[in-house]
Amino acid sequence: MADNLSDALKKLKITATDSTADSLEGCLDCLLQALAQNNIETSEKIQKSGILQVFASLLTPQSSSTAKVANIIAEVAKNEFMRNPCVDAGLIPPLVQLLNCKDQEVLLQTGRALGNICYDSHEGRSAVDHAGGAQIVVDQLRSLCSKTDPASEKLLTVFCGMLVNYSNENDTLQSQLINMGVIPTLVKLLGIHCQNAALTEMCLVAFGNLAELESSKEQFAYTNIAEELVKLFKKQIEHDKKEMIFEVLAPLAENDVIKLQLVEAGLVECLLEIVQKTVDSDKEDDIAELKTASDLMVLLLLGDESMQKLFEGGKGSVFQRVLSWIPSNNHQLQLAGALAIANFARNDGNCIHMVDNGIVQKLMDLLDRHVEDGNVTVQHAALSALRNLAIPVVNKAKMLSAGVAEAVLKFLRSEMPPVQFKLLGTLRMLIDAQADAAEQLGKNVKLVERLVEWCEAKDHAGVMGESNRLLSALIRHSKSKDVIRTIVQSGGIKHLVTMATSEHVIMQNEALVALALIAALELVTAEKDIENAQLVQILHRLLSDERSAPEIKYNSMVLICALMGSEPLHKEVQSLSFLEVVSKLRSHENKTVAQQASLTEQRLVVES
């Protein structure tokens, strides 16, 4: 064979320019046979022989051996080391020209050759791009789309594969294909050829390849992709096939329009059926399918319209099924159930309905099962749901009397920042305008000490911010001397003072209001800590800074007046040029600020 191959290569070099068709065919057959027996070794010999350059001249539409030459190129390009040499030998332009010919065998082998050269090869893709190959293939797909004979379906499969290899993991080339309008064509292909497994699979790979791009989702939303994928999904029995469809559904379902289309196409019913079939199984495939199906279900609920459609005023069968996941013994279902409730709890009407219908107890029971060595993701999800449910004013008292605060406090020991973050947010929502609850929690020394500790969690800005906000909220909503004393004794003052310098106006404001309450109710107790935290200097800075928001200026002046009840702090105020700064604010464009500036100025003058 080796001798035959060497002879064939020599002959080819001689005969390529001046050949009889028969001798050329014989040489090409010999090469194909050698490639079939040992592709790598034969490819190396072909590369060394310099014959690749000769192939460029053999790729003509008129020649009867063109299909075989393209087939040889397709075979050698299966090897990574051959792809660049194929590009360097100038094979791409003649191959791209062949995409316009009518001969199906030539088209098939040309599509294979270009697809293999593009596989994981930047040079291959660039050359095809430069030669305009993608547009011709997209046009071919469009014109062949409706043909269902086996030869056409095989060609369509190869062309789809070629586009996948051309654009895989390359945003620029994917965008180019999207702009060429490939998406509607691929969706149409899927609908017409859903009986052809190879072509269907290739369409799915192409969708998966394109679906990550934002611009693709907008185009997909104008097609009937949701309907086609759900139809296809219902037919699947094998795990791998379902998995392929899931991989397309997940990125597409990030688009709100497509979410609704998927819900309307009946995807939810398919997902619920999978959950039912796999929930008690310990097979690896079933466990994976359960996770994917329940995750996708939660994703569909992130869209406002799709969520509301499935909620159906709290009477929806889907909503009821999701509720039944929460008491399940399966962690994945508990997690999906709690996340789904958090997603349903995105408007006041839904939240009020769910609290009135006993959802809070279900979530507290779930949390109870995860207190000791619990599953962190389930804890996080259940706390997220409770936090959202606590937003409507009418729910707060109901949730407090149901014992939500006590249930949440069991997680104070948690060392997991995501759990800490949601715990803090839930408590902050619960005590909003609930004076008794704020007082009760504010006198809880363990809670306050933990908050002060978390106020220093530099690595976790979210936890740090929420801790500060809860400290301030405990004071603002309770207006209680006992709460203030507990916070002062636990070392909380310095954190509230730091919070007054936050980049977020809402946090600055919350801190200033809390500090004003401290100054009005317990100035003597807090005096030393306020002095050490240099609050007076900070207030001077806030009032001098033109960028400070009007409410910050207003509350800073209210606080200055309150602080002057303390002798050492009064001295500090006098030592800084407050009068000058405040006088300027009398002409502030905001009337409330200007009025407060006049009052503050009078106070400063009287007490100077």
Side-chain angles (χ1 to χ4, degrees):
M1 190 72 208
D3 292 344
N4 289 356
L5 176 62
S6 302
D7 289 349
L9 288 168
K10 278 179 195 157
K11 255 194 207 168
L12 260 177
K13 271 192 140 171
I14 301 160
T15 60
T17 47
D18 174 29
S19 64
T20 64
D22 290 346
S23 62
L24 184 57
E25 292 278 336
C27 295
L28 296 173
D29 286 338
C30 181
L31 256 62
L32 282 167
Q33 214 177 337
L35 283 162
Q37 286 182 357
N38 188 334
N39 191 315
I40 295 177
E41 199 179 306
T42 306
S43 294
E44 283 171 346
K45 285 184 176 167
I46 288 174
Q47 188 190 358
K48 282 180 189 144
S49 72
I51 201 78
L52 285 176
Q53 281 81 352
V54 174
F55 284 166
S57 61
L58 295 175
L59 290 167
T60 60
Q62 297 79 22
S63 165
S64 60
S65 50
T66 299
K68 276 184 185 168
V69 176
N71 188 359
I72 291 167
I73 296 168
E75 288 301 316
V76 301
K78 286 177 178 175
N79 304 295
E80 192 182 346
F81 66 86
M82 288 300 287
R83 289 172 201 147
N84 281 3
C86 284
V87 175
D88 296 339
L91 297 180
I92 301 293
L95 281 169
V96 166
Q97 283 311 305
L98 289 174
L99 289 170
N100 293 304
C101 89
K102 296 282 176 271
D103 184 310
Q104 281 215 325
E105 184 59 21
V106 172
L107 284 174
L108 186 76
Q109 300 304 343
T110 302
R112 286 184 62 235
L114 288 169
N116 289 353
I117 292 170
C118 284
Y119 185 79
D120 235 354
S121 161
H122 172 68
E123 289 73 14
R125 291 168 179 185
S126 292
V128 171
D129 178 23
H130 193 66
Q135 183 67 65
I136 303 172
V137 173
V138 171
D139 292 342
Q140 284 280 20
L141 281 177
R142 211 170 278 138
S143 65
L144 289 165
C145 186
S146 306
K147 296 192 173 177
T148 53
D149 59 286
S152 294
E153 290 198 321
K154 196 174 177 186
L155 187 52
L156 284 165
T157 308
V158 165
F159 279 161
C160 274
M162 183 245 150
L163 290 182
V164 167
N165 286 358
Y166 171 71
S167 65
N168 190 34
E169 292 183 355
N170 183 314
D171 287 2
T172 310
L173 296 180
Q174 286 169 359
S175 296
Q176 181 196 72
L177 292 180
I178 291 164
N179 293 336
M180 288 173 182
V182 77
I183 286 173
T185 306
L186 288 172
V187 175
K188 196 172 164 194
L189 267 181
L190 185 67
I192 295 170
H193 303 273
C194 56
Q195 302 304 324
N196 184 310
L199 182 47
T200 299
E201 209 162 295
M202 201 47 87
C203 280
L204 289 172
V205 174
F207 290 146
N209 189 16
L210 298 169
E212 297 289 345
L213 281 193
E214 216 40 58
S215 57
S216 82
K217 291 170 196 169
E218 288 156 23
Q219 282 217 11
F220 275 118
Y222 284 107
T223 69
N224 61 337
I225 184 76
E227 201 182 313
E228 294 296 354
L229 288 175
V230 173
K231 202 160 60 181
L232 190 65
F233 192 83
K234 285 176 178 169
K235 291 182 194 162
Q236 303 311 320
I237 299 156
E238 292 168 48
H239 168 75
D240 292 351
K241 294 277 163 53
K242 287 185 196 168
E243 202 59 40
M244 276 190 88
I245 301 172
F246 271 142
E247 279 172 18
V248 180
L249 286 170
L252 287 181
E254 286 168 10
N255 176 286
D256 282 0
V257 177
I258 300 175
K259 279 187 184 81
L260 190 58
Q261 290 171 354
L262 288 168
V263 168
E264 286 170 345
L267 178 61
V268 172
E269 289 70 18
C270 298
L271 299 176
L272 290 173
E273 199 178 316
I274 288 176
V275 168
Q276 204 170 346
K277 280 182 185 166
T278 55
V279 66
D280 298 319
S281 169
D282 49 10
K283 277 199 228 151
E284 212 171 298
D285 281 357
D286 287 346
I287 292 167
E289 234 171 82
L290 173 76
K291 178 172 171 24
T292 311
S294 53
D295 283 352
L296 190 50
M297 183 76 198
V298 171
L299 182 57
L300 290 176
L301 293 172
L302 274 172
D304 287 339
E305 282 188 77
S306 49
M307 177 272 288
Q308 214 50 47
K309 190 175 177 67
L310 295 171
F311 189 66
E312 289 181 60
K315 305 277 188 291
S317 60
V318 174
F319 172 64
Q320 297 302 328
R321 286 280 283 281
V322 166
L323 276 188
S324 72
W325 294 356
I326 294 173
S328 145
N329 288 321
N330 182 302
H331 280 187
Q332 175 57 35
L333 271 198
Q334 292 172 0
L335 170 64
L339 286 172
I341 296 304
N343 285 346
F344 279 125
R346 285 211 316 280
N347 63 53
D348 283 7
N350 291 6
C351 289
I352 292 164
H353 181 280
M354 286 193 277
V355 169
D356 287 347
N357 284 274
I359 189 67
V360 170
Q361 195 54 52
K362 283 189 171 70
L363 290 167
M364 290 202 306
D365 292 344
L366 176 60
L367 277 175
D368 250 0
R369 295 164 71 181
H370 289 275
V371 175
E372 300 301 327
D373 307 320
N375 180 306
V376 173
T377 51
V378 175
Q379 291 172 0
H380 180 259
L383 289 167
S384 294
L386 286 170
R387 181 199 174 281
N388 288 2
L389 289 167
I391 293 172
V393 177
V394 293
N395 281 358
K396 298 181 196 294
K398 291 173 189 170
M399 290 175 71
L400 285 164
S401 59
V404 172
E406 292 74 13
V408 169
L409 285 171
K410 290 176 187 171
F411 294 91
L412 261 187
R413 296 196 301 272
S414 173
E415 292 304 328
M416 306 306 290
V419 174
Q420 295 167 353
F421 180 72
K422 286 295 175 188
L423 171 154
L424 293 163
T426 308
L427 289 176
R428 189 166 63 78
M429 285 301 155
L430 280 171
I431 63 165
D432 192 2
Q434 306 297 309
D436 293 348
E439 179 159 14
Q440 203 180 336
L441 286 173
K443 291 192 292 194
N444 180 330
V445 177
K446 272 190 182 158
L447 168 64
V448 173
E449 284 178 349
R450 195 71 161 133
L451 291 183
V452 169
E453 183 189 327
W454 287 340
C455 281
E456 290 171 11
K458 300 269 189 294
D459 296 341
H460 302 285
V463 173
M464 196 162 92
E466 277 293 344
S467 302
N468 277 304
R469 293 190 76 184
L470 183 53
L471 264 188
S472 156
L474 291 169
I475 295 168
R476 288 183 296 111
H477 297 303
S478 71
K479 300 182 176 60
S480 152
K481 292 186 169 199
D482 289 340
V483 169
I484 293 170
R485 280 196 286 269
T486 307
I487 288 172
V488 172
Q489 282 153 13
S490 304
I493 294 291
K494 63 179 179 191
H495 298 298
L496 289 170
V497 173
T498 304
M499 184 181 166
T501 63
S502 164
E503 58 195 22
H504 304 291
V505 173
I506 192 163
M507 285 177 69
Q508 277 187 294
N509 218 24
E510 287 171 359
L512 291 170
V513 172
L515 287 164
L517 282 165
I518 292 169
L521 298 170
E522 270 304 316
L523 187 53
V524 178
T525 315
E527 183 180 75
K528 200 79 200 135
D529 287 353
I530 288 174
E531 204 176 343
N532 291 339
Q534 300 188 316
L535 175 60
V536 175
Q537 286 92 315
I538 285 167
L539 292 173
H540 188 271
R541 216 165 52 231
L542 289 175
L543 288 171
S544 308
D545 189 344
E546 285 175 10
R547 292 164 305 176
S548 294
E551 59 268 40
I552 301 303
K553 287 191 167 19
Y554 174 83
N555 283 320
S556 296
M557 288 188 282
V558 170
L559 185 46
I560 282 294
C561 293
L563 292 177
M564 281 162 65
S566 144
E567 199 178 324
L569 295 171
H570 189 175
K571 276 185 185 158
E572 268 193 67
V573 171
Q574 285 179 319
S575 70
L576 292 164
S577 55
F578 269 97
L579 203 50
E580 193 183 316
V581 178
V582 171
S583 298
K584 281 183 190 165
L585 291 174
R586 277 173 37 208
S587 54
H588 195 277
E589 58 188 1
N590 182 301
K591 284 207 174 74
T592 317
V593 172
Q595 279 173 336
Q596 187 56 44
S598 295
L599 292 172
T600 308
E601 187 185 40
Q602 285 168 23
R603 184 84 192 268
L604 287 166
V605 170
V606 168
E607 302 205 10
S608 61

